[in-house]
Amino acid sequence: MTINKERLEQINELEEKLGFSFKDKNLIDIALTHSSYTNEASSGNKKNNERLEFLGDSVLDLVVSEELFKKHHSYPEGKLTKIRSKIVCTSSFAKAAEKFSLTAYLLFSKGEQNHNGSKKKSVKADTFEAVCAAIYLDCGYDFLCQFLKREYGETVKKLLSDDSLFVDYKTKLQEEYNKNKKIILKYELVKEEGLEHDKTFYMQVKAKNRVLACGKGKNKKEAEQMAAKKAYEDLKR
């Protein structure tokens, strides 16, 4: 598919930030095309980045898993999984996207632009996954690994040095209720909003029939943790 001059200039600008050029410009063009853009009638047969998001999610999971496996020989599977979950998540990928302002180059529908689509955490994270998939397909796995280490190695170290990131609020909250009351807390889905690829989940935590707190997230586990965090902080006050 032919890329127009204006779009090519945008791609070249991003390539300067990234520090390399794509051999196949169509890959990065697709990675920076939101599904809302292709859903508009005027967009023709242009592809969007959803398939690249899917691939990027898996590739990034492998990159992080391999690095943790190699660097932490004494860590058991459970600890490795816990660490990986703090790196491979919507929040960290959104932060990663912000380093190169990736969503500033994303093609949106007019409606999504009007609703500040480029500022949504989930959109930032999805774009990062798609761009990483494009790098992987264009330059290979080893190149992607080196790029990620160079650009995000120090950031990941700082992320992992923050012990507060590893707090499991569901466990902490349950431990508090086990001290005296011996009540098994329950988590219930209140509602879910948004399109299939960009949903927000709302969960509530209950002690018997009393709602302790509600939380929201891009998946049910994240929403449960947010609800537990609020309930735990309220309890400690």
Side-chain angles (χ1 to χ4, degrees), residues 4 14 75 88-89 99 105 112 163 182 190 202 218 231:
N4 65 42
L14 177 59
Y75 287 6
V88 182
C89 68
K99 178 171 184 177
Y105 302 93
E112 192 68 23
D163 291 336
K182 305 294 182 185
V190 178
Y202 296 80
K218 297 313 294 182

Side-chain angles (χ1 to χ4, degrees), residues 103-122:
T103 54
Y105 302 93
L106 200 59
L107 297 178
F108 287 110
S109 67
K110 291 179 181 178
E112 192 68 23
Q113 281 181 327
N114 292 336
H115 286 87
N116 294 316
S118 63
K119 295 181 180 179
K120 293 179 181 177
K121 185 186 288 188
S122 60

Side-chain angles (χ1 to χ4, degrees), residues 169-187 205-213 227-237:
Y169 282 99
K170 285 182 67 176
T171 299
K172 289 180 75 69
L173 183 63
Q174 186 61 65
E175 287 173 349
E176 288 296 320
Y177 273 82
N178 284 346
K179 286 180 181 177
N180 301 309
K181 304 167 187 176
K182 305 294 182 185
I183 296 173
I184 302 299
L185 303 175
K186 294 183 179 180
Y187 293 83
V205 56
K206 298 174 70 175
K208 293 186 176 179
N209 293 320
R210 184 166 67 92
V211 176
L212 302 177
K229 183 175 186 290
K230 289 179 182 177
Y232 181 79
E233 290 173 347
D234 288 343
L235 194 64
K236 285 301 180 182
R237 288 194 193 102

Side-chain angles (χ1 to χ4, degrees), residues 218-231:
K218 297 313 294 182
N219 55 58
K220 291 179 182 178
K221 287 184 178 180
E222 185 179 329
E224 286 175 353
Q225 282 290 341
M226 292 306 297
K229 183 175 186 290
K230 289 179 182 177

